[in-house]
Amino acid sequence: MTASVVIAYYRGLPDLDVQLDALAAQDHTGDFEVIVSDNEGSAQLRRHLDTHPLKERLNLRWVDSSDIAGTSHARNVGTRGARGDFIAYCDQDDAVHPTWLRAMVNTARDADLIGGPLERDTLNDPVVAAWRALPNPEEPVVLGRHLPMSFGCNLGVRREVFDAVGGWDEDYPTAGGDVEFCWRVQTAGYTFGYAPEAMVAYRYRTGMRESWAQVIDYASEEARVAKQYGVPGRQWWWFPIHAGVVLATCPLWPWGWSRRRRGAWIWVTGNLVGRIKGSLKYRVVYL
């Protein structure tokens, strides 16, 4: 099975080089290519890739996806320009573990859509890493009591399946697109496989303002996908528990003054605010 790795790019230097180094360290023995889909239209990026020391080793290619803004469009353009019959997606600012591509390709022998876990310790300061808990790496994430999914920074799909479902929905330019894509593939009758060894080191936002905006966007767009697919969401009793945690950990209390505690509160509270925002915006109860 030939593989193509697609990276959606927007203002990603120098972090992109960390990801490219990680891809060069893969223990996958088959041939693969790396496509950087440039959603910025950056002459600097193109020059950087043209002279990159890993250009030959990674079969590194640049494609222009700057005509329409959004990660989903960048992934579509990169995938349609790919030569492989299996597409693996990772992000510009993360770092895949050495076993990542091998685990993805091996799992794809028996499944159509592949997901893997994330870890927070490799690329993040310990204080920032404590802001946000990540899902259990041994099993896939199931959102809204519906179907398993994997985040867009660690996702793979057979090329024929991508073509059959029409690719990523560009009405979800950033947040929510991975959830929608995973659910659409599965509701079309294709299978989901999970590869615990396909681990990705995930890079957090380091500013609290950026984290606040990110988590609100995530939760709001999750509500949108839930409405689209008729998903029930959490059990009713989760909302009062969530609200109680927000109040109990509020930085107004002395035990919440440290940067570690304030960052964690931002993420938990932003998720609740995003759920409320999405419920109101999309006229669905997703709390």
Side-chain angles (χ1 to χ4, degrees):
M1 181 181 293
T2 58
S4 297
V5 177
V6 173
I7 303 174
Y9 176 91
Y10 185 79
R11 298 181 181 177
L13 292 175
D15 290 337
L16 174 64
D17 283 337
V18 176
Q19 184 67 282
L20 295 179
D21 286 342
L23 287 166
Q26 294 299 290
D27 63 9
H28 176 64
T29 56
D31 292 334
F32 69 96
E33 64 177 352
V34 176
I35 299 171
V36 180
S37 183
D38 182 4
N39 201 230
E40 179 186 353
S42 169
Q44 178 192 12
L45 172 68
R46 189 166 190 179
R47 289 193 301 270
H48 182 73
L49 296 181
D50 281 344
T51 59
H52 201 281
L54 295 173
K55 181 176 176 62
E56 299 301 323
R57 183 173 177 181
L58 293 176
N59 295 310
L60 189 59
R61 290 197 289 129
W62 172 93
V63 296
D64 184 14
S65 59
S66 61
D67 54 325
I68 299 174
T71 303
S72 293
H73 177 68
R75 288 175 177 151
N76 281 338
V77 172
T79 303
R80 288 171 183 142
R83 300 176 182 132
D85 47 22
F86 177 74
I87 311 299
Y89 301 101
C90 60
D91 279 359
Q92 63 186 17
D93 54 350
D94 299 330
V96 296
H97 281 212
T99 56
W100 177 72
L101 189 57
R102 171 175 56 81
M104 279 269 175
V105 171
N106 286 345
T107 306
R109 301 186 194 283
D110 299 308
D112 302 304
L113 179 73
I114 315 300
L118 308 178
E119 58 93 351
R120 63 185 183 176
D121 297 320
T122 300
L123 296 179
N124 298 296
D125 174 270
V127 171
V128 175
W131 290 0
R132 172 184 172 188
L134 290 175
N136 180 357
E138 297 302 317
E139 56 189 31
V141 177
V142 177
L143 294 177
R145 293 187 290 153
H146 189 46
L147 292 169
M149 58 80 62
S150 191
F151 301 105
C153 60
N154 191 2
L155 185 63
V157 66
R158 288 177 175 269
R159 173 61 189 270
E160 63 194 45
V161 175
F162 172 93
D163 290 336
V165 301
W168 293 73
D169 186 345
E170 296 183 11
D171 285 339
Y172 290 86
T174 52
D178 44 11
V179 184
E180 195 283 329
F181 183 73
C182 288
W183 288 356
R184 177 157 41 92
V185 168
Q186 291 172 87
T187 54
Y190 298 103
T191 57
F192 181 90
Y194 189 68
E197 280 192 284
M199 179 75 75
V200 170
Y202 184 66
R203 192 187 302 271
Y204 286 175
R205 305 283 175 87
T206 57
M208 293 192 186
R209 287 180 182 271
E210 293 85 356
S211 294
W212 175 259
Q214 183 184 46
V215 68
I216 288 177
D217 198 25
Y218 281 173
S220 176
E221 292 307 290
E222 188 181 319
R224 177 188 177 188
V225 187
K227 180 179 181 180
Q228 181 177 337
Y229 285 86
V231 173
R234 302 187 298 187
Q235 299 280 5
W236 67 267
W237 38 265
W238 266 108
F239 179 76
I241 291 175
H242 197 158
V245 170
V246 167
L247 291 174
T249 58
C250 180
L252 291 174
W253 312 117
W255 53 83
W257 289 351
S258 71
R259 186 167 178 258
R260 181 188 299 262
R261 292 291 184 88
R262 284 186 287 119
W265 184 83
I266 284 288
W267 193 263
V268 171
T269 306
N271 182 268
L272 184 63
V273 170
R275 286 172 175 271
I276 294 171
K277 177 183 177 182
S279 295
L280 295 172
K281 182 177 180 179
Y282 299 114
R283 299 183 180 181
V284 60
V285 178
Y286 194 75
L287 301 174

